[in-house]
Amino acid sequence: MRKIVYITAILLAASCSKQSEFDAQGTFEATEIVISSEANGKILNFDIDEGEHIDVGTAICTIDSTQLHLQRKQLTAQQAALLDSRPDINKQASSLRNQISTQKKELNRIENLLKDGAATQKQYDDIDAQIKILESQLEATLSTLNKSTTSISNNSIALDAQIDALSDLIAKCKVTSPVKGSVLVKYAEAGELSSAGKPLVKIADLDNIYLRAYFTSTQLANLKLGDEVTVVADFGGDERHNYKGHITWISSESEFTPKTIQTKDSRANLVYAVKIAVKNDGRLKIGLHGEVIL
């Protein structure tokens, strides 16, 4: 009986000793980005593969933009025809300006004759009235021509906006990666139809990975952003590797201890999530188990 009790005590001590080897547990995660389509059309090519590392600006796929090109070409032609219809204000007003200039010269001549008594006041008044009529006609003509020009210019600006919108859609038919990272999942293939908002690929930066570990409130009192800790990656069996980690985020709210996580204090029901940044040497993977030693 004493032997059984002794063996049980050893096993319990070993279990406690193993649990005390770490201060917190968690799994490795990375910032994942789902890149979605912003255009409608058939996917012409999709040349990247799952697991492939890509850089910022790497082409992911191309969506057929033939109809968009044709629409833009049509609008460009409409705009050119519209601009050609603008009136030539100077030419259309030149005739009235010439008449006004001629009548003013005649008015000066009559004025001189009137001083010498060789012309009548009625002749002077008739020419002066004619000048005023011509000036009113010129003003009305210029107003009409300016309004027409303004209307054409505004319509051209509206067409410019439509052309720019189509150019933007055409540019979005060439999907590129906004970040560098590794392709985790492909959601489409060449030949399929794409629509705006449809997920195309999921990418994660595996070079900068982090461990999401869980600490009790007691442990949290001794943690702060920027602290350096030791992260132990468990690759299964006896293969374990240590990494330097830095605390980059501490949750402000507690949560119930996840079922897959053990804590320093087995009685703790509530824990706080903490992100620990780790430089990946190529061996760390998303979902890998890890432990933290303070």
Side-chain angles (χ1 to χ4, degrees):
M1 181 68 180
R2 290 181 180 178
K3 185 176 181 180
I4 294 175
V5 173
Y6 179 71
I7 293 174
T8 303
I10 292 176
L11 291 174
L12 289 173
S15 175
C16 294
S17 175
K18 185 176 180 181
Q19 184 175 354
S20 64
E21 289 177 358
F22 63 87
D23 294 287
Q25 285 186 332
T27 55
F28 286 96
E29 300 179 357
T31 301
E32 300 178 357
I33 297 176
V34 176
I35 299 175
S36 300
S37 172
E38 296 182 81
N40 302 319
K42 183 179 180 180
I43 300 175
L44 299 181
N45 57 64
F46 208 136
D47 296 332
I48 62 171
D49 297 313
E50 292 183 354
E52 180 179 342
H53 181 81
I54 58 177
D55 294 319
V56 177
T58 298
I60 294 175
C61 70
T62 302
I63 299 172
D64 186 13
S65 59
T66 303
Q67 293 300 316
L68 296 176
H69 278 286
L70 293 175
Q71 291 177 35
R72 185 173 65 177
K73 185 177 180 180
Q74 181 182 17
L75 288 177
T76 301
Q78 289 179 4
Q79 185 182 47
L82 182 65
L83 293 176
D84 287 341
S85 69
R86 287 180 299 184
D88 189 330
I89 297 177
N90 289 329
K91 284 185 178 181
Q92 295 194 34
S94 62
S95 176
L96 287 172
R97 288 194 177 105
N98 289 336
Q99 292 181 54
I100 292 172
S101 177
T102 300
Q103 290 298 321
K104 284 184 176 180
K105 290 179 181 178
E106 182 64 16
L107 184 66
N108 288 333
R109 189 180 71 83
I110 295 298
E111 184 178 11
N112 292 330
L113 290 174
L114 184 61
K115 291 178 181 177
D116 296 334
T120 63
Q121 184 65 39
K122 183 178 183 307
Q123 289 177 304
Y124 181 89
D125 292 340
D126 288 344
I127 295 175
D128 185 56
Q130 184 64 28
I131 291 173
K132 291 179 179 178
I133 292 173
L134 290 172
E135 288 178 339
S136 296
Q137 291 177 354
L138 177 61
E139 183 178 355
T141 299
L142 290 175
S143 176
T144 300
L145 293 175
N146 285 328
K147 287 181 179 179
S148 177
T149 300
T150 300
S151 176
I152 291 173
S153 297
N154 289 337
N155 288 333
S156 177
I157 292 173
L159 287 174
D160 264 333
Q162 294 180 50
I163 292 171
D164 289 343
L166 285 173
S167 297
D168 181 60
L169 285 176
I170 290 171
K172 289 175 179 177
C173 287
K174 294 182 178 179
V175 183
T176 58
S177 176
V179 296
K180 71 172 183 177
S182 298
V183 179
L184 300 181
V185 184
K186 285 177 66 175
Y187 297 109
E189 294 292 343
E192 295 182 4
L193 286 177
S194 176
S195 59
K198 178 180 179 179
L200 297 174
V201 65
K202 181 189 288 186
I203 298 174
D205 183 6
L206 298 182
D207 291 335
N208 298 297
I209 203 166
Y210 59 87
L211 180 73
R212 181 186 288 269
Y214 296 87
F215 292 85
T216 64
S217 58
T218 304
Q219 293 172 307
L220 203 65
N222 298 319
L223 296 178
K224 64 179 183 300
L225 296 179
D227 280 355
E228 182 176 308
V229 298
T230 300
V231 174
V232 182
D234 187 352
F235 294 93
D238 295 329
E239 189 176 358
R240 299 162 64 85
H241 295 278
N242 293 356
Y243 295 88
K244 286 184 178 180
H246 293 86
I247 296 176
T248 59
W249 174 82
I250 300 175
S251 175
S252 59
E253 296 182 356
S254 62
E255 58 185 281
F256 287 106
T257 306
K259 293 181 180 179
T260 58
I261 298 298
Q262 295 183 22
T263 61
K264 187 80 171 178
D265 183 358
S266 59
R267 297 168 299 175
N269 292 324
L270 296 175
V271 290
Y272 292 82
V274 174
K275 284 185 179 181
I276 302 170
V278 179
K279 188 66 177 177
N280 193 358
D281 58 0
R283 292 182 295 186
L284 299 177
K285 307 297 180 183
I286 296 175
L288 189 68
H289 180 76
E291 299 170 352
V292 182
I293 300 175
L294 299 178

